[in-house]
Amino acid sequence: MPIMKSTLSRLSPTKPQVGPVRLQEESILGKSTPAGMNSFEEDTVDEMNPFAENLNPFHEEEEEGAEGIQMLNTSLPSGEAAMPKINGSEKHTTLTRSLKKAFKMSKKQGRSPPEDQSEEKKPFFRLPSPLSDTEAPWKSQEKKAGRLRLEELASPVKLGDGSEKDSLADPSSRRVMSFLKWGKPKAESPTEKMELGGGAERKTETVPEVREPLSVLEIHKLIEKRDLVLADSHIVELEEECERVRTTDGGKDGGRKAKDIELLYKELEGELKKIVAESLSQTLEATHLEQLVQTIEEEEKVDRAWASCGGLPGGTDGPRPRQLRRKWRKMVRDSVVERLSRCQADALMAQRLRSLKEQVTNDLIFIRKNQVAAYPKDYDAFNVYVNSYHEVVSSCLAEMAQNDLEIQQLYSFLQWCHNDYIRDVIGHEELAAHVRKQQLKPLLPAETMQQLEDKCIALVKAQITKSMDEELIAEKDKWQQGADTYQSELPNRLIQILTDHVVNSGAVTQELGARVTLCCLSGLADLLQSFQKYAQEFFQHYRETAESRELRVAQAIAVVNCCPAFRDYIERLRQKVASDGEEETKKALASLDKVVKGGNKLLTDKLFEELKPNLSKLLKSKWLQNKESFERITTSVKKHFNQFRKMKTPPYQDLVNGIHKKVVIEYLRAMMQTRIVCNSADMRVKVAGRLNNESTELRELFENLDSNASWLNPAIGHLAEIISLKDTSSIQVEVGALVDSYPDVRKEHIAAVLNIRGDINHQSRQNILEMLQEFDSNDRGSILSRDGALFAEIDTAPGLQCVDLNMSRALGCFSLFRRHIR
């Protein structure tokens, strides 16, 4: 900074000076600087120039200074004047008086007593603040006046006649001396230490150190060094001075300074923003955040002082209030935006969401541990950061939601929004206790989430329909190619497709899981209708083709084996959707029942085509002497069941029970339609014994085949007992037991068995048949079930119809017949 140099021959208190005191010429550094190159041109203000004549303090109170100079002279050795006259002029007297006056004025402008300073409010971080007094920036007139008076000390010395030295006559040499720094004060002379009253205690008087305003460049350097509090105080002083200039004359200098001030504030705020951004990724020095916080607090003090003086936001009073704390919150959010934008590179949706979750979690943990303690409690710094991260994450998700997401991306996105963020970020064990969840808004609006879920349902329906149709067509091709396998992978592939959707949607929310499950159930019901259609086509082709029976049996069993897996999965889906899926469940199960029924019927029909010749030989004339036909029946059944056993349990159980029932029915039909008549008791015993033996063999056969239709076993045995019993009463009891076990038995069936006996007279026959009249046909029909109907499917032989005739009616008919002949 330029320094004014003024040299004056000093007076010695012990050695008198003889001759005139020589006053050397004052020189100002930069006096010879060419025009246009002056670095202080920006700060030059004519009205503040101490060289202006109207502001020269040396023209005032000359008489008051005379007394002071007289006392100064009397303190020298007697009879000698301190400042002899030079050419009759009083230059030395005027100079001394001016210095004395400046000395008194500087004393008056000294610092306030210590007790006043103790009342100032201490800053939060206890850093020295030039803005401790909230009224200081706006109570500046006295401060400005003091600085101007001090600047007068640096003004060129004016002689007693009021003329300046020739060397300073050039107006271009006038400068704002407020930018001239004072050096270390020299030791005071004894005359300066003396009290005016003489005899009083001597005290050392020093000129108080007053801070000089800095240039724009110097303030800029303070900002770069992050000495932000000091830089801010100088900016405030410049702002105050600019306001004073603007209100006094509204000159161009005030407007230029206002622009400089705004630029400095932008630089200051930019440095604050850098500190905030750096605090997200690294541990800063404590002084950096302290400087940030104290700068905000000092600016808020200035804002309050400005408001107390009548300032209105948006008015003509300038850019106040600065609202630096509000800007700090925006700096936090902008820094978060910049930081999280690095996670949104071109990557898969799942990777972007995973990176976003990790970044937010790690940042918040780091901030809570390392940065929050640097802020005062009223800043609520941690939740400011949490809210900023939450808002930025919400913006990122809203942008992602606008993309054309696929079904898996939708699942990942919805899962992240509903669960991952709440559980792993906000609910993290190190963060949950410090986050105010109730103050956080939803990540996405409810309308957006509903649209995404609806889109998810539509995509699921389209995808499962397409995928399952493709799988079914591929399976049909295998059937046509004649794959030699008893099992099909079709149910596993289809169920896996559906399970993926059910599990992924259920992991998002229970409501979405229920909607997707119902969609899957509906899609499966539609698919099973197509599956039933393809199965029926295959079964029909099986009946009409002459290809290998074993190959077709394997394929038929493979088709039927698909049904148990589908049935179990339908039941699991139904439990998840409760009553909403009843209609879809019934439709799906009905399709499966038709497939199982069609497959079992096909296999049963193929079996009985082979058994039919041997079944027709039962209870014929050679039947008693030859067991070959019955043995062939059991052998064929066993051979077929070597393949049938590869059928899964539920449909196999239906198959074996159905074949067991059909074999018993065909056996009973052979009895009802036989022409055998026992002409002796031995023959009746022999026939009954044969029937019991074959009934036992059939029972054992189907028990080994795991048939659970045990209700069929007593039927043949009851009929064998009716044939073997001797007295009518015993036969009546056995008939009652038969009717109790098989309510669908009719008189024609009992009459056919009685015909095999060959020894029952008409009256005994009538008594036996009357047992059936005790059972009401309607009641017996009401207790029949599908599995309990046995004799209803058996017809008797033609011509063996049992007619219940009354003897009197028979005699009457015979008499009418005789009259007609006559």
Side-chain angles (χ1 to χ4, degrees):
M1 184 173 290
I3 302 175
M4 181 181 69
K5 181 178 181 182
S6 178
T7 307
L8 181 65
S9 298
R10 301 181 60 184
L11 297 177
S12 175
T14 58
K15 183 178 181 180
Q17 301 292 331
V18 179
V21 178
R22 184 177 180 181
L23 180 66
Q24 296 182 2
E25 182 179 356
E26 296 86 358
S27 62
I28 300 177
L29 184 62
K31 175 179 179 182
S32 61
T33 303
M37 297 296 291
N38 191 346
S39 59
F40 299 99
E41 182 179 357
E42 180 180 349
D43 295 328
T44 304
V45 183
D46 291 343
E47 60 270 19
M48 296 179 62
N49 193 342
F51 293 99
E53 294 182 359
N54 56 349
L55 296 177
N56 194 336
F58 298 107
H59 289 292
E60 301 175 1
E61 301 181 359
E62 294 184 357
E63 294 181 0
E64 294 177 5
E67 298 178 2
I69 205 65
Q70 180 65 28
M71 182 173 293
L72 179 62
N73 289 333
T74 56
S75 63
L76 297 175
S78 60
E80 294 183 8
M83 300 290 291
K85 294 182 180 180
I86 302 175
N87 296 329
S89 128
E90 297 294 332
K91 294 182 180 179
H92 61 285
T93 306
T94 304
L95 175 60
T96 305
R97 184 171 59 249
S98 298
L99 292 174
K100 187 64 176 181
K101 177 182 177 181
F103 177 76
K104 291 181 179 180
M105 293 170 60
S106 64
K107 181 178 179 181
K108 294 179 180 180
Q109 298 297 329
R111 297 182 180 178
S112 59
E115 56 272 21
D116 297 336
Q117 295 180 358
S118 63
E119 296 176 359
E120 296 177 358
K121 181 179 179 181
K122 296 182 180 180
F124 181 80
F125 293 104
R126 298 182 179 177
L127 291 179
S129 170
L131 300 176
S132 298
D133 186 3
T134 57
E135 303 295 332
W138 307 105
K139 295 182 179 180
S140 60
Q141 297 303 324
E142 296 180 0
K143 178 180 177 182
K144 289 295 180 180
R147 187 165 67 246
L148 289 176
R149 292 189 184 98
L150 289 175
E151 289 171 356
E152 291 173 358
L153 295 177
S155 64
V157 179
K158 185 178 290 261
L159 301 179
D161 57 359
S163 62
E164 296 179 357
K165 296 290 289 183
D166 294 339
S167 62
L168 301 176
D170 188 1
S172 63
S173 63
R174 297 178 178 179
R175 299 287 182 266
V176 178
M177 304 312 294
S178 60
F179 291 94
L180 301 180
K181 290 187 176 180
W182 287 83
K184 183 176 181 181
K186 297 181 179 180
E188 297 179 351
S189 63
T191 57
E192 293 173 342
K193 297 181 181 180
M194 295 175 61
E195 289 294 326
L196 296 179
E201 181 181 359
R202 296 185 178 183
K203 295 182 180 179
T204 301
E205 297 290 345
T206 59
V207 177
E209 181 181 357
V210 179
R211 184 184 63 189
E212 293 294 335
L214 302 182
S215 65
V216 173
L217 181 59
E218 290 171 322
I219 297 175
H220 174 70
K221 291 182 179 179
L222 287 177
I223 295 174
E224 287 183 340
K225 292 188 296 183
R226 290 191 174 176
D227 195 354
L228 304 180
V229 177
L230 182 58
D232 181 63
S233 67
H234 283 286
I235 297 173
V236 170
E237 289 182 358
L238 289 179
E239 184 181 15
E240 174 192 351
E241 184 175 349
C242 177
E243 181 67 16
R244 184 183 64 79
V245 172
R246 184 181 67 83
T247 55
T248 55
D249 57 5
K252 295 182 179 180
D253 290 339
R256 186 166 58 251
K257 285 182 178 295
K259 293 180 180 179
D260 292 339
I261 292 169
E262 290 304 315
L263 290 175
L264 287 174
Y265 265 116
K266 287 183 180 180
E267 292 182 9
L268 178 66
E269 293 174 5
E271 198 63 32
L272 294 177
K273 186 173 181 179
K274 290 181 182 178
I275 293 175
V276 171
E278 292 172 5
S279 67
L280 296 178
S281 59
Q282 58 183 320
T283 304
L284 297 177
E285 296 181 8
T287 55
H288 290 175
L289 289 177
E290 291 174 359
Q291 289 280 329
L292 180 146
V293 173
Q294 192 167 350
T295 300
I296 295 174
E297 291 186 342
E298 296 297 346
E299 278 293 325
E300 288 182 339
K301 291 179 183 178
V302 179
D303 285 343
R304 289 193 294 270
W306 171 84
S308 65
C309 295
L312 297 176
T316 60
D317 295 331
R320 291 287 173 183
R322 296 287 177 182
Q323 297 182 348
L324 208 55
R325 189 181 298 199
R326 179 183 59 80
K327 293 180 180 179
W328 165 73
R329 296 190 186 96
K330 187 177 183 300
M331 292 174 191
V332 171
R333 192 182 189 283
D334 293 343
S335 300
V336 172
V337 170
E338 180 180 358
R339 184 161 179 81
L340 294 186
S341 62
R342 303 170 190 171
C343 304
Q344 305 305 309
D346 295 335
L348 297 177
M349 174 68 70
Q351 178 63 32
R352 293 174 65 185
L353 293 173
R354 183 165 53 252
S355 299
L356 188 62
K357 179 178 69 174
E358 293 175 356
Q359 188 70 64
V360 174
T361 304
N362 294 336
D363 285 357
L364 290 178
I365 293 175
F366 176 81
I367 290 167
R368 189 189 67 82
K369 290 183 177 180
N370 300 283
Q371 307 300 338
V372 172
Y375 292 92
K377 186 176 181 180
D378 61 310
Y379 278 59
D380 195 17
F382 181 68
N383 279 286
V384 169
Y385 276 100
V386 170
N387 291 332
S388 297
Y389 272 95
H390 186 79
E391 292 174 3
V392 176
V393 168
S394 178
S395 300
C396 294
L397 295 177
E399 182 180 355
M400 293 182 194
Q402 299 299 321
N403 299 330
D404 188 14
L405 302 179
E406 299 178 356
I407 182 62
Q408 293 301 328
Q409 292 176 329
L410 261 177
Y411 283 138
S412 299
F413 186 83
L414 293 173
Q415 167 73 10
W416 202 93
C417 295
H418 282 290
N419 300 310
D420 292 354
Y421 179 75
I422 303 300
R423 181 185 63 245
D424 300 334
V425 180
I426 302 301
H428 193 276
E429 58 182 2
E430 297 188 34
L431 302 176
H434 307 277
V435 177
R436 299 172 186 161
K437 298 179 182 179
Q438 66 278 6
Q439 295 182 358
L440 298 178
K441 298 180 180 178
L443 282 175
L444 290 175
E447 297 79 7
T448 302
M449 297 300 294
Q450 185 64 39
Q451 292 174 1
L452 292 174
E453 291 182 3
D454 292 342
K455 182 179 180 180
C456 180
I457 297 298
L459 289 177
V460 167
K461 186 174 183 179
Q463 187 179 46
I464 63 175
T465 300
K466 179 181 178 181
S467 300
M468 291 193 299
D469 286 344
E470 292 175 352
E471 293 291 344
L472 184 57
I473 292 174
E475 187 69 14
K476 182 182 177 182
D477 293 339
K478 292 181 180 179
W479 297 346
Q480 293 176 351
Q481 294 172 4
D484 185 11
T485 177
Y486 294 92
Q487 304 296 332
S488 173
E489 293 298 324
L490 177 65
N492 295 336
R493 294 194 298 269
L494 296 183
I495 290 173
Q496 186 61 46
I497 293 173
L498 300 178
T499 301
D500 290 342
H501 292 292
V502 172
V503 172
N504 291 335
S505 61
V508 177
T509 60
Q510 185 176 358
E511 293 77 9
L512 180 63
R515 294 183 63 188
V516 172
T517 300
L518 183 60
C519 180
C520 291
L521 181 58
S522 176
L524 182 58
D526 295 337
L527 175 78
L528 291 179
Q529 288 184 330
S530 300
F531 176 71
Q532 173 198 344
K533 177 182 176 182
Y534 293 153
Q536 288 175 344
E537 292 176 356
F538 170 73
F539 295 153
Q540 184 64 30
H541 178 69
Y542 182 14
R543 288 188 176 91
E544 296 173 356
T545 187
E547 298 179 7
S548 172
R549 187 196 68 82
E550 289 79 6
L551 181 61
R552 290 301 177 183
V553 168
Q555 293 176 351
I557 292 174
V559 172
V560 175
N561 279 342
C562 295
C563 298
F566 284 135
R567 188 180 298 275
D568 293 342
Y569 193 69
I570 289 171
E571 182 63 22
R572 288 162 56 189
L573 295 181
R574 186 192 66 78
Q575 293 176 357
K576 291 180 179 293
V577 298
S579 59
D580 295 336
E582 289 296 332
E583 182 178 354
E584 302 296 335
T585 300
K586 290 179 180 179
K587 183 169 67 174
L589 294 179
S591 298
L592 293 178
D593 290 340
K594 291 179 180 179
V595 173
V596 172
K597 185 177 180 180
N600 286 348
K601 186 176 184 302
L602 175 65
L603 297 176
T604 301
D605 291 345
K606 289 294 182 180
L607 170 62
F608 276 90
E609 284 180 5
E610 185 175 337
L611 297 180
K612 186 175 180 180
N614 295 304
L615 289 173
S616 62
K617 296 179 182 180
L618 295 176
L619 280 89
K620 299 298 185 192
S621 57
K622 296 182 180 181
W623 170 69
L624 284 174
Q625 291 79 24
N626 191 354
K627 297 182 179 181
E628 182 180 356
S629 58
F630 183 80
E631 290 177 353
R632 288 178 180 176
I633 292 173
T634 57
T635 301
S636 296
V637 171
K638 292 176 182 179
K639 181 183 68 175
H640 279 77
F641 268 91
N642 290 333
Q643 288 182 293
F644 294 167
R645 276 185 174 278
K646 297 187 180 174
M647 188 180 292
K648 292 185 178 179
T649 300
Y652 172 79
Q653 199 68 60
D654 293 341
L655 177 64
V656 68
N657 290 346
I659 292 176
H660 186 184
K661 179 180 178 181
K662 190 170 180 64
V663 168
V664 173
I665 287 175
E666 293 300 327
Y667 196 97
L668 294 176
R669 180 178 284 113
M671 289 183 63
M672 301 302 149
Q673 297 179 356
T674 186
R675 298 292 183 177
I676 295 178
V677 177
C678 297
N679 50 18
S680 64
D682 294 337
M683 188 176 181
R684 286 192 293 274
V685 172
K686 186 176 181 179
V687 170
R690 181 70 178 272
L691 289 175
N692 284 324
N693 292 337
E694 292 184 352
S695 173
T696 302
E697 290 184 18
L698 288 177
R699 176 177 59 80
E700 292 176 351
L701 171 65
F702 285 102
E703 284 180 353
N704 294 331
L705 297 177
D706 298 327
S707 171
N708 55 13
S710 58
W711 63 279
L712 298 170
N713 296 330
I716 300 175
H718 282 304
L719 298 179
E721 289 296 321
I722 292 175
I723 294 174
S724 63
L725 292 175
K726 296 180 180 180
D727 56 296
T728 303
S729 60
S730 297
I731 296 174
Q732 288 178 334
V733 172
E734 191 64 31
V735 169
L738 177 65
V739 173
D740 185 61
S741 299
Y742 305 99
D744 60 336
V745 66
R746 299 191 301 270
K747 290 182 180 180
E748 292 83 357
H749 300 135
I750 302 300
V753 175
L754 294 177
N755 290 337
I756 295 175
R757 285 182 61 93
D759 63 340
I760 302 297
N761 57 32
H762 180 74
Q763 184 63 41
S764 297
R765 179 187 294 266
Q766 289 297 113
N767 293 335
I768 294 171
L769 294 179
E770 286 178 358
M771 292 291 302
L772 299 176
Q773 296 179 0
E774 298 179 2
F775 298 91
D776 183 79
S777 61
N778 293 332
D779 292 340
R780 287 190 286 128
S782 64
I783 62 176
L784 288 177
S785 63
R786 184 187 66 177
D787 296 333
L790 179 61
F791 287 90
E793 301 181 26
I794 301 173
D795 297 330
T796 58
L800 290 177
Q801 301 298 327
C802 179
V803 182
D804 186 11
L805 298 177
N806 189 288
M807 184 59 66
S808 60
R809 291 181 181 179
L811 293 175
C813 291
F814 180 72
S815 299
L816 290 174
F817 178 72
R818 290 179 65 184
R819 292 192 192 103
H820 179 69
I821 292 176
R822 291 178 180 177

